[in-house]
Amino acid sequence: MNRWVSIITTILMTGVSAQGIAGDPAAGEAKAQACVACHGADGNSANSGFPSLAGQVPGYIAGQLAAFKSGKRANAIMMGLAQPLSAEDMADLDAWYASQTIAPRSISEDQLALASEGESLYRGGSAELAVPACMACHGPAGHGIPSNYPRVAGQWPEYLEGQLLAFKSGERAGKIMGPIAHRLSAQQIHALSVYMSALQ
Ligand code: HEC
Ligand code: HEC
């Protein structure tokens, strides 16, 4: 019985990356030593300038690392770090971070009105702006959908806001997110980011 539990757990913990390579979380943990300084020992980053990677949907991290390596996603720091990574390294790193747990965030009293503005857009979108409900792809609780729709719950609000502004300006390329962010105001992006970060 225990043997089956352990085999099934191993299967569940072993992410299959976008490239179809099965990652090994233990190998990923060793390779992630190069990432600890910015993304935290367990993928919970201590600095709003660096995204948390813990609990990300399987496949997303491998996909983003491949995008940094090819230059499809531009960022000076991550483009350099992704260069030496093989598809296997990316799959291992992906499996390690997917097996970690993201720490929950809460909203302060003075942000409740802002969060409620964000909630209405997140859950219902805006017919007037032709913006779809975010939860259709990022999930009702912000947990994302493997492998392409990232988790947003528990992420640094500053990072979410920065990425939405980058999609809006075109600085971060996004076939899906570009047109959506383009139609949102900076205020709506701010409200959404505060709301999403505190989803659990
Ligand atoms: C010197 C700091 C630093 C180090 C070290 C670092 N990163 Fe990053 N990482 C960043 C920054 C900054 C961003 C945000 C990039 C952006 O704004 O597009 C980022 C973004 C990412 C993202 C995108 C997350 C998302 O939600 O889209 C992934 C995946 C990632 N890093 C993985 C790694 C891995 C794996 C390593 C180790 C091999 C690593 N990083 C090492 C700074 C770092
Ligand atoms: C049709 C599906 C879809 C909808 C609807 C959608 N998203 Fe996304 N979102 C994506 C995909 C796919 C990505 C990953 C983009 C990439 O790989 O370049 C993403 C990425 C993001 C990111 C970056 C996360 C990270 O870790 O870097 C944020 C923030 C985000 N979306 C917020 C939103 C918000 C806010 C809404 C609603 C206004 C929304 N999304 C609606 C599909 C969607």
Side-chain angles (χ1 to χ4, degrees):
M1 197 56 177
N2 280 341
R3 192 172 144 253
W4 285 107
V5 171
S6 118
I7 290 172
I8 290 166
T9 310
T10 308
I11 293 169
L12 288 175
M13 304 275 290
T14 305
V16 176
S17 80
Q19 287 89 355
I21 300 173
D24 172 359
E29 180 177 12
K31 292 171 183 176
Q33 293 316 303
C35 326
V36 167
C38 298
H39 295 290
D42 62 353
N44 281 288
S45 130
N47 181 314
S48 64
F50 307 124
S52 284
L53 305 176
Q56 192 46 275
V57 296
Y60 178 73
I61 287 182
Q64 294 302 309
L65 290 170
F68 284 127
K69 183 171 178 169
S70 72
K72 206 178 126 204
R73 179 168 173 188
N75 176 264
I77 300 173
M78 283 309 305
M79 284 167 92
L81 286 163
Q83 279 324 305
L85 300 178
S86 67
E88 189 186 348
D89 295 335
M90 293 178 190
D92 290 345
L93 288 160
D94 190 282
W96 159 248
Y97 286 116
S99 73
Q100 297 303 294
T101 305
I102 194 159
R105 277 176 207 286
S106 51
I107 298 174
S108 61
E109 283 279 317
D110 58 340
Q111 287 184 313
L112 287 177
L114 194 61
S116 122
E117 184 190 339
E119 177 175 26
S120 122
L121 278 165
Y122 188 85
R123 312 199 80 80
S126 162
E128 191 194 334
L129 297 174
V131 167
C134 318
M135 75 171 185
C137 296
H138 294 284
H143 293 190
I145 305 171
S147 56
N148 294 329
Y149 303 124
R151 160 188 277 274
V152 287
Q155 186 55 273
W156 282 104
E158 293 87 349
Y159 173 76
L160 296 172
E161 186 164 355
Q163 295 303 307
L164 285 168
L165 291 171
F167 282 128
K168 182 176 167 74
S169 71
E171 189 193 323
R172 177 171 171 186
K175 274 202 199 87
I176 298 177
M177 285 310 301
I180 292 176
H182 189 72
R183 295 193 285 265
L184 294 168
S185 69
Q187 160 68 19
Q188 288 170 321
I189 284 176
H190 183 52
L192 276 160
S193 303
V194 167
Y195 174 71
M196 290 188 293
S197 71
L199 279 169
Q200 289 184 23

